[in-house]
Amino acid sequence: MKKKLVFITGAGMSAESGIRTFRDSNGLWEEYPVMKVASIQGYHEDPELVIRFYNDRRRQLLECEPNEGHRLVAALENDYDVTVVTQNVDNLHERAGSTNVIHLHGELMKATSSDNPNDPNCIVEIPSDNPGIHIGDKANDGSQLRPFIVWFGEAVPKIEPAIIEVSQADIVVIIGTSLNVYPAAGLINYANNDAKMYLIDPKPVKTSSLRDIHVIQKGASEGMKELTELLKTSNTPQ
Ligand code: OAD
């Protein structure tokens, strides 16, 4: 049986694809007030501003490609039972070939109902040839269509399946997240005592875990190359 490998990824995973991170210098939250554009209160106060902010993000995503890091994550499916738990709302893991991706914070290429955002009957794909949501567009339940994003102030329904995945993992790999945002940041504490843990990030990251974590202080692509080699030579039999 293949070993279970769970990735926990954040904005740094997609940085080399040209998508801005949030909290680095020149990060998105330096330019945009986070509570205005990424909270449920902000959406209620100014839906047009929030919809436009995500329309812009979506148009930028359509010009981006997966990077080598995304491709190496997907390639490990040949040898491992891989799950990707991502905070990213882009679809670059899927476009690189990953088949089992849990999006904790929603998906940019999907839209949903303002009244029932987690109702599966209301969640729709946004076509890449017509990627804008407009005021007046209606969801299946008749409410205003909104981005399928988990905003600050909202529940994170995918955290439950993510906890199960992490708790069953033989290997946990954290890539490109500052681990500032909960509940995602707390996921590492669910890892089994015997699980091997790795962290890839060019900058030091403060974790809440007292565990022994093998740190690879590199960007996602270079870090994933090193990890792939380490996994080949480590005494963790596949
Ligand atoms: P952050 O912007 O907080 O952190 C990005 C991390 O990526 C930092 O630790 C960087 O050092 C690292 N990084 C930068 N370049 C990198 C590279 N080339 N390769 C690897 N790592 C690199 O982003 P997140 O932790 O993902 O939520 O942020 C979590 C959540 O906060 C987001 O999902 C978003 C945001 O507010 C919502 O909008 C709901």
Short mmCIF file of all heavy atoms in Angstrom, two decimals, residues 133-172:
data_model
loop_
_atom_site.label_atom_id
_atom_site.label_comp_id
_atom_site.label_asym_id
_atom_site.label_seq_id
_atom_site.Cartn_x
_atom_site.Cartn_y
_atom_site.Cartn_z
N ILE A 133 -18.10 38.18 -12.44
CA ILE A 133 -19.41 38.16 -11.77
C ILE A 133 -19.89 39.61 -11.74
O ILE A 133 -19.07 40.53 -11.55
CB ILE A 133 -19.27 37.63 -10.32
CG1 ILE A 133 -18.75 36.19 -10.31
CG2 ILE A 133 -20.62 37.70 -9.58
CD1 ILE A 133 -18.53 35.62 -8.90
N HIS A 134 -21.19 39.82 -11.96
CA HIS A 134 -21.72 41.18 -11.98
C HIS A 134 -22.85 41.33 -10.98
O HIS A 134 -23.54 40.36 -10.67
CB HIS A 134 -22.25 41.52 -13.38
CG HIS A 134 -21.23 41.29 -14.45
ND1 HIS A 134 -21.18 40.13 -15.18
CD2 HIS A 134 -20.20 42.07 -14.86
CE1 HIS A 134 -20.15 40.20 -16.02
NE2 HIS A 134 -19.54 41.36 -15.84
N ILE A 135 -23.03 42.55 -10.48
CA ILE A 135 -24.19 42.83 -9.63
C ILE A 135 -25.43 42.55 -10.48
O ILE A 135 -25.52 42.99 -11.63
CB ILE A 135 -24.16 44.30 -9.15
CG1 ILE A 135 -22.98 44.53 -8.22
CG2 ILE A 135 -25.49 44.67 -8.47
CD1 ILE A 135 -23.06 43.84 -6.85
N GLY A 136 -26.36 41.77 -9.92
CA GLY A 136 -27.56 41.40 -10.66
C GLY A 136 -27.52 39.95 -11.15
O GLY A 136 -28.56 39.36 -11.42
N ASP A 137 -26.30 39.35 -11.23
CA ASP A 137 -26.21 37.91 -11.59
C ASP A 137 -26.82 37.11 -10.44
O ASP A 137 -26.53 37.39 -9.27
CB ASP A 137 -24.75 37.47 -11.77
CG ASP A 137 -24.10 38.07 -13.01
OD1 ASP A 137 -24.82 38.68 -13.82
OD2 ASP A 137 -22.87 37.92 -13.15
N LYS A 138 -27.64 36.12 -10.79
CA LYS A 138 -28.36 35.38 -9.74
C LYS A 138 -27.84 33.95 -9.58
O LYS A 138 -27.55 33.28 -10.56
CB LYS A 138 -29.85 35.29 -10.10
CG LYS A 138 -30.55 36.66 -10.16
CD LYS A 138 -31.02 37.09 -8.77
CE LYS A 138 -31.84 38.35 -8.78
NZ LYS A 138 -31.04 39.55 -8.48
N ALA A 139 -27.77 33.51 -8.32
CA ALA A 139 -27.48 32.10 -8.02
C ALA A 139 -28.78 31.29 -8.17
O ALA A 139 -29.86 31.88 -8.34
CB ALA A 139 -26.96 31.99 -6.59
N ASN A 140 -28.65 29.96 -8.08
CA ASN A 140 -29.83 29.07 -8.25
C ASN A 140 -30.97 29.38 -7.29
O ASN A 140 -32.12 29.13 -7.59
CB ASN A 140 -29.42 27.61 -8.03
CG ASN A 140 -28.80 27.05 -9.29
OD1 ASN A 140 -28.91 27.67 -10.35
ND2 ASN A 140 -28.15 25.90 -9.17
N ASP A 141 -30.64 29.91 -6.11
CA ASP A 141 -31.70 30.21 -5.13
C ASP A 141 -32.23 31.64 -5.28
O ASP A 141 -32.99 32.11 -4.44
CB ASP A 141 -31.21 29.97 -3.70
CG ASP A 141 -30.03 30.87 -3.34
OD1 ASP A 141 -29.59 31.68 -4.19
OD2 ASP A 141 -29.53 30.76 -2.20
N GLY A 142 -31.81 32.33 -6.33
CA GLY A 142 -32.34 33.67 -6.60
C GLY A 142 -31.57 34.80 -5.94
O GLY A 142 -31.83 35.97 -6.20
N SER A 143 -30.60 34.45 -5.07
CA SER A 143 -29.83 35.51 -4.40
C SER A 143 -28.69 35.99 -5.33
O SER A 143 -28.39 35.35 -6.34
CB SER A 143 -29.26 35.00 -3.08
OG SER A 143 -28.25 34.04 -3.34
N GLN A 144 -28.07 37.10 -4.95
CA GLN A 144 -26.93 37.61 -5.73
C GLN A 144 -25.82 36.55 -5.79
O GLN A 144 -25.44 35.96 -4.77
CB GLN A 144 -26.39 38.89 -5.05
CG GLN A 144 -25.07 39.41 -5.61
CD GLN A 144 -25.14 39.85 -7.07
OE1 GLN A 144 -26.07 40.56 -7.45
NE2 GLN A 144 -24.16 39.45 -7.88
N LEU A 145 -25.30 36.33 -6.98
CA LEU A 145 -24.15 35.43 -7.15
C LEU A 145 -22.92 36.09 -6.54
O LEU A 145 -22.70 37.29 -6.72
CB LEU A 145 -23.94 35.21 -8.66
CG LEU A 145 -23.15 33.99 -9.12
CD1 LEU A 145 -23.85 32.69 -8.70
CD2 LEU A 145 -22.97 34.02 -10.63
N ARG A 146 -22.13 35.33 -5.81
CA ARG A 146 -20.91 35.87 -5.18
C ARG A 146 -19.74 34.92 -5.41
O ARG A 146 -19.94 33.74 -5.75
CB ARG A 146 -21.13 36.07 -3.67
CG ARG A 146 -21.46 34.78 -2.92
CD ARG A 146 -21.26 34.88 -1.42
NE ARG A 146 -19.98 34.31 -1.04
CZ ARG A 146 -19.60 34.08 0.22
NH1 ARG A 146 -20.39 34.40 1.22
NH2 ARG A 146 -18.43 33.53 0.50
N PRO A 147 -18.53 35.39 -5.22
CA PRO A 147 -17.38 34.49 -5.34
C PRO A 147 -17.47 33.35 -4.32
O PRO A 147 -17.91 33.58 -3.18
CB PRO A 147 -16.17 35.38 -5.06
CG PRO A 147 -16.64 36.79 -5.26
CD PRO A 147 -18.11 36.78 -4.91
N PHE A 148 -17.04 32.15 -4.72
CA PHE A 148 -17.02 31.00 -3.81
C PHE A 148 -15.71 31.03 -3.03
O PHE A 148 -14.78 30.25 -3.25
CB PHE A 148 -17.17 29.69 -4.60
CG PHE A 148 -17.18 28.46 -3.74
CD1 PHE A 148 -18.06 28.32 -2.68
CD2 PHE A 148 -16.31 27.40 -4.00
CE1 PHE A 148 -18.07 27.19 -1.88
CE2 PHE A 148 -16.31 26.26 -3.21
CZ PHE A 148 -17.18 26.15 -2.15
N ILE A 149 -15.64 32.00 -2.12
CA ILE A 149 -14.45 32.22 -1.30
C ILE A 149 -14.90 32.18 0.15
O ILE A 149 -15.97 32.69 0.49
CB ILE A 149 -13.84 33.63 -1.58
CG1 ILE A 149 -13.49 33.81 -3.07
CG2 ILE A 149 -12.62 33.89 -0.69
CD1 ILE A 149 -12.33 33.00 -3.57
N VAL A 150 -14.07 31.56 1.00
CA VAL A 150 -14.36 31.60 2.44
C VAL A 150 -13.74 32.87 3.00
O VAL A 150 -12.51 33.00 3.03
CB VAL A 150 -13.78 30.35 3.15
CG1 VAL A 150 -13.99 30.46 4.65
CG2 VAL A 150 -14.40 29.07 2.60
N TRP A 151 -14.57 33.80 3.39
CA TRP A 151 -14.06 35.08 3.87
C TRP A 151 -13.86 35.06 5.38
O TRP A 151 -14.45 34.22 6.10
CB TRP A 151 -15.05 36.20 3.51
CG TRP A 151 -15.03 36.55 2.06
CD1 TRP A 151 -13.92 36.69 1.28
CD2 TRP A 151 -16.16 36.78 1.21
NE1 TRP A 151 -14.30 37.02 0.00
CE2 TRP A 151 -15.64 37.08 -0.07
CE3 TRP A 151 -17.54 36.78 1.40
CZ2 TRP A 151 -16.47 37.38 -1.15
CZ3 TRP A 151 -18.36 37.08 0.33
CH2 TRP A 151 -17.83 37.37 -0.94
N PHE A 152 -13.06 36.02 5.86
CA PHE A 152 -12.92 36.18 7.31
C PHE A 152 -14.31 36.42 7.89
O PHE A 152 -15.11 37.15 7.32
CB PHE A 152 -11.97 37.34 7.63
CG PHE A 152 -10.53 37.00 7.32
CD1 PHE A 152 -9.91 37.48 6.18
CD2 PHE A 152 -9.80 36.16 8.17
CE1 PHE A 152 -8.59 37.14 5.88
CE2 PHE A 152 -8.48 35.81 7.87
CZ PHE A 152 -7.88 36.31 6.73
N GLY A 153 -14.61 35.76 8.98
CA GLY A 153 -15.94 35.87 9.59
C GLY A 153 -16.86 34.74 9.18
O GLY A 153 -18.00 34.68 9.64
N GLU A 154 -16.39 33.85 8.28
CA GLU A 154 -17.23 32.72 7.84
C GLU A 154 -16.65 31.39 8.34
O GLU A 154 -15.45 31.29 8.62
CB GLU A 154 -17.31 32.70 6.31
CG GLU A 154 -18.03 33.90 5.75
CD GLU A 154 -18.39 33.73 4.29
OE1 GLU A 154 -17.46 33.61 3.47
OE2 GLU A 154 -19.59 33.74 3.97
N ALA A 155 -17.53 30.39 8.38
CA ALA A 155 -17.09 29.05 8.78
C ALA A 155 -16.20 28.47 7.69
O ALA A 155 -16.24 28.89 6.54
CB ALA A 155 -18.31 28.17 9.00
N VAL A 156 -15.37 27.48 8.08
CA VAL A 156 -14.47 26.82 7.13
C VAL A 156 -14.88 25.34 7.07
O VAL A 156 -14.28 24.49 7.73
CB VAL A 156 -12.99 26.96 7.61
CG1 VAL A 156 -12.03 26.35 6.59
CG2 VAL A 156 -12.64 28.42 7.86
N PRO A 157 -15.92 25.01 6.29
CA PRO A 157 -16.47 23.65 6.35
C PRO A 157 -15.49 22.56 5.95
O PRO A 157 -15.58 21.43 6.41
CB PRO A 157 -17.67 23.69 5.40
CG PRO A 157 -17.69 25.02 4.75
CD PRO A 157 -16.68 25.91 5.40
N LYS A 158 -14.49 22.90 5.12
CA LYS A 158 -13.57 21.85 4.64
C LYS A 158 -12.49 21.51 5.68
O LYS A 158 -11.66 20.64 5.45
CB LYS A 158 -12.90 22.28 3.33
CG LYS A 158 -13.87 22.36 2.16
CD LYS A 158 -14.14 20.97 1.59
CE LYS A 158 -15.24 20.96 0.53
NZ LYS A 158 -14.89 21.69 -0.66
N ILE A 159 -12.52 22.19 6.82
CA ILE A 159 -11.49 21.90 7.82
C ILE A 159 -11.66 20.47 8.37
O ILE A 159 -10.67 19.81 8.68
CB ILE A 159 -11.46 22.95 8.96
CG1 ILE A 159 -10.15 22.87 9.73
CG2 ILE A 159 -12.65 22.84 9.89
CD1 ILE A 159 -8.93 23.35 9.02
N GLU A 160 -12.89 19.99 8.44
CA GLU A 160 -13.11 18.63 9.00
C GLU A 160 -12.44 17.56 8.14
O GLU A 160 -11.64 16.77 8.66
CB GLU A 160 -14.61 18.35 9.18
CG GLU A 160 -15.29 19.24 10.21
CD GLU A 160 -14.73 19.07 11.62
OE1 GLU A 160 -14.20 17.99 11.91
OE2 GLU A 160 -14.81 20.02 12.41
N PRO A 161 -12.76 17.49 6.82
CA PRO A 161 -12.04 16.49 6.01
C PRO A 161 -10.53 16.72 6.00
O PRO A 161 -9.75 15.75 5.96
CB PRO A 161 -12.62 16.66 4.60
CG PRO A 161 -13.44 17.90 4.61
CD PRO A 161 -13.81 18.17 6.05
N ALA A 162 -10.09 17.98 6.11
CA ALA A 162 -8.64 18.24 6.11
C ALA A 162 -7.99 17.66 7.37
O ALA A 162 -6.90 17.07 7.31
CB ALA A 162 -8.38 19.75 6.01
N ILE A 163 -8.65 17.80 8.51
CA ILE A 163 -8.11 17.26 9.77
C ILE A 163 -7.97 15.74 9.66
O ILE A 163 -6.95 15.16 10.07
CB ILE A 163 -9.04 17.64 10.96
CG1 ILE A 163 -8.90 19.13 11.28
CG2 ILE A 163 -8.73 16.79 12.19
CD1 ILE A 163 -9.90 19.65 12.31
N ILE A 164 -8.98 15.10 9.08
CA ILE A 164 -8.91 13.63 8.93
C ILE A 164 -7.71 13.25 8.08
O ILE A 164 -6.94 12.35 8.42
CB ILE A 164 -10.24 13.09 8.34
CG1 ILE A 164 -11.37 13.31 9.35
CG2 ILE A 164 -10.13 11.62 7.95
CD1 ILE A 164 -12.77 13.06 8.82
N GLU A 165 -7.53 13.95 6.97
CA GLU A 165 -6.39 13.64 6.07
C GLU A 165 -5.06 13.79 6.82
O GLU A 165 -4.20 12.92 6.76
CB GLU A 165 -6.40 14.56 4.85
CG GLU A 165 -7.57 14.35 3.91
CD GLU A 165 -7.54 13.02 3.18
OE1 GLU A 165 -6.43 12.52 2.91
OE2 GLU A 165 -8.62 12.47 2.90
N VAL A 166 -4.90 14.92 7.52
CA VAL A 166 -3.62 15.18 8.20
C VAL A 166 -3.39 14.15 9.30
O VAL A 166 -2.27 13.64 9.46
CB VAL A 166 -3.59 16.62 8.78
CG1 VAL A 166 -2.36 16.83 9.66
CG2 VAL A 166 -3.61 17.66 7.66
N SER A 167 -4.45 13.79 10.01
CA SER A 167 -4.26 12.85 11.13
C SER A 167 -3.90 11.45 10.64
O SER A 167 -3.34 10.66 11.39
CB SER A 167 -5.50 12.82 12.02
OG SER A 167 -6.58 12.31 11.27
N GLN A 168 -4.20 11.15 9.37
CA GLN A 168 -3.89 9.82 8.84
C GLN A 168 -2.58 9.78 8.05
O GLN A 168 -2.18 8.74 7.53
CB GLN A 168 -5.03 9.35 7.92
CG GLN A 168 -6.34 9.13 8.70
CD GLN A 168 -7.51 8.82 7.79
OE1 GLN A 168 -7.42 8.99 6.57
NE2 GLN A 168 -8.60 8.35 8.36
N ALA A 169 -1.91 10.93 7.95
CA ALA A 169 -0.74 11.01 7.06
C ALA A 169 0.49 10.33 7.66
O ALA A 169 0.73 10.39 8.86
CB ALA A 169 -0.43 12.47 6.79
N ASP A 170 1.29 9.70 6.77
CA ASP A 170 2.61 9.21 7.17
C ASP A 170 3.64 10.34 7.05
O ASP A 170 4.64 10.36 7.75
CB ASP A 170 3.04 8.05 6.26
CG ASP A 170 2.08 6.89 6.34
OD1 ASP A 170 1.97 6.32 7.44
OD2 ASP A 170 1.41 6.57 5.34
N ILE A 171 3.38 11.24 6.10
CA ILE A 171 4.29 12.37 5.84
C ILE A 171 3.44 13.61 5.64
O ILE A 171 2.44 13.57 4.91
CB ILE A 171 5.13 12.11 4.56
CG1 ILE A 171 5.88 10.78 4.66
CG2 ILE A 171 6.09 13.27 4.29
CD1 ILE A 171 6.47 10.30 3.34
N VAL A 172 3.82 14.72 6.30
CA VAL A 172 3.13 16.00 6.13
C VAL A 172 4.15 17.02 5.62
O VAL A 172 5.24 17.13 6.18
CB VAL A 172 2.52 16.49 7.46
CG1 VAL A 172 1.89 17.88 7.30
CG2 VAL A 172 1.49 15.50 7.99
#
